Amino acid sequence: MSTEIRARRITTRDVRARKGGEPLVVLTAYTAPIARLLDPHVDILLVGDSLGMVLYGMDTTLGVSLDMMINHGRAVMRGSSRACVVIDMPFASYQESREQAFRNAARVLAETGCGAVKLEGGREMEDTIRFLAERGVPVMAHVGLKPQSVHTAGGFRAHGRAEDEAAAIRADARAVTEAGAFCVVVEGTVEPVARALSEEIAIPTIGIGASPACDGQVLVTEDILGLFADFTPKFVKRYAELGPIIDKAAADYAAEVKSRAFPAPAHCFGVPKPKD
Ligand code: KIV
């Protein structure tokens, strides 16, 4: 029998139990090498459908397919061993009916081995979240700014300035809690709304451009590393500037190749090793 002791993955129950405790650290990951680097530092790795914009150069997340999410989810699972991996349900994979949502969420869980799925929506998704949660699918909900609804919501803007909109977001957060979500992403809301709903609901709130009063924070990894130059939201702090580093490395490499200064190591194919 192997004596190897494996660290167990953080579960959705562990995440749920962090309400009001040490803040949850969440970052996006789409590939195995990035997952490997982030895994020791985060509680949750989110395979967000933001990959459509960040990796594939799309204008919105609407063109992301379930197969894309499953493939990237499998890569992130292979690259991590500790974090709870949550995979986004892409647009049109769950909104049609709760049965469609279950069928597709079950594929995500079965084909990737991830811990949970995330879907966007509040009261309109209450019935679906309940249906999934009662059938063994842990759900992270997502309220406030919902990128998959960008065309009906009037673009990427702060939500909850008007009193009726603030009340609606708070009602959404209560609804997903009642339905059995284990935590909820609160995106792009004005600070007092995120603060208030973090105090009033019993599940952890994970803010993005929302409030430090949330029970955790999530950011897109490429944003904090300076790797996604198309659009960086105002609230994102850059912890590194990898863009210029990659640019310089590529330029140095190109210069070496062009001047034939590329090193030829002794073990290069075709160069026989000298015999002793
Ligand atoms: O798709 C994504 O990456 C997300 C987070 C930014 C919350 O939904």
Side-chain angles (χ1 to χ4, degrees), residues 3 37 46 49 57 76 78 83 98 101 109 115-117 129 164 173 178 181 193 211 218 223 229 239 257 262 269:
T3 52
L37 289 168
L46 174 64
D49 63 352
V76 169
R78 281 185 216 114
R98 54 192 203 170
L109 291 190
V117 299
I129 293 173
D164 56 342
E178 283 298 305
V193 171
S211 165
V218 56
D223 282 342
Y239 291 82
V257 171
F262 196 66
F269 298 118

Side-chain angles (χ1 to χ4, degrees), residues 90-101:
F91 180 63
S93 71
Y94 62 95
Q95 291 92 340
E96 198 177 315
S97 66
R98 54 192 203 170
E99 287 78 12
Q100 181 213 25

Side-chain angles (χ1 to χ4, degrees), residues 19-81:
K19 177 70 189 177
E22 190 186 20
L24 289 155
V25 181
V26 188
L27 280 170
T28 59
Y30 316 128
T31 63
I34 293 290
R36 198 165 289 126
L37 289 168
L38 303 179
D39 192 44
H41 307 288
V42 301
D43 298 299
I44 299 175
L45 286 170
L46 174 64
V47 188
D49 63 352
S50 52
L51 63 79
M53 299 166 80
V54 176
L55 285 192
Y56 289 86
M58 297 173 176
D59 289 335
T60 68
T61 57
L62 301 181
V64 174
S65 69
L66 192 65
D67 284 340
M68 285 161 79
M69 296 310 302
I70 289 174
N71 286 336
H72 285 280
R74 292 173 76 176
V76 169
M77 284 297 293
R78 281 185 216 114
S80 61
S81 58

Side-chain angles (χ1 to χ4, degrees), residues 28 30 46 48-50 88 118 120 142 185 187 208 218 220:
T28 59
Y30 316 128
L46 174 64
D49 63 352
S50 52
D88 247 339
K118 174 165 86 60
E120 294 181 11
H142 184 149
V185 168
E187 177 163 0
I208 169 161
V218 56
V220 170

Side-chain angles (χ1 to χ4, degrees), residues 180-236:
F182 71 95
C183 70
V184 57
V185 168
V186 181
E187 177 163 0
T189 64
V190 294
E191 206 275 337
V193 171
R195 181 177 291 275
L197 68 83
S198 293
E199 278 164 17
E200 72 192 10
I201 65 172
I203 58 173
T205 55
I206 299 177
I208 169 161
S211 165
C214 288
D215 299 293
Q217 295 293 318
V218 56
L219 285 176
V220 170
T221 298
E222 281 72 2
D223 282 342
I224 68 165
L225 298 180
L227 276 176
F228 183 57
D230 292 6
F231 168 73
T232 309
K234 277 198 223 90
F235 55 81
V236 171

Side-chain angles (χ1 to χ4, degrees), residues 84-168:
C84 178
V85 174
V86 179
I87 301 182
D88 247 339
M89 299 293 291
F91 180 63
S93 71
Y94 62 95
Q95 291 92 340
E96 198 177 315
S97 66
R98 54 192 203 170
E99 287 78 12
Q100 181 213 25
F102 181 78
R103 204 165 39 250
N104 287 329
R107 259 197 78 191
V108 172
L109 291 190
E111 294 180 31
T112 68
C114 73
V117 299
K118 174 165 86 60
L119 56 83
E120 294 181 11
R123 285 159 294 169
E124 76 280 21
M125 280 297 140
E126 188 175 355
D127 190 32
T128 299
I129 293 173
R130 182 169 292 109
F131 192 80
L132 296 186
E134 284 174 353
R135 285 160 182 76
V137 180
V139 178
M140 174 188 276
H142 184 149
V143 302
L145 191 165
K146 293 168 281 182
Q148 292 176 12
S149 305
V150 62
H151 294 313
T152 48
F156 293 97
R157 59 177 181 84
H159 285 241
R161 281 195 209 289
E163 250 175 55
D164 56 342
E165 199 177 45

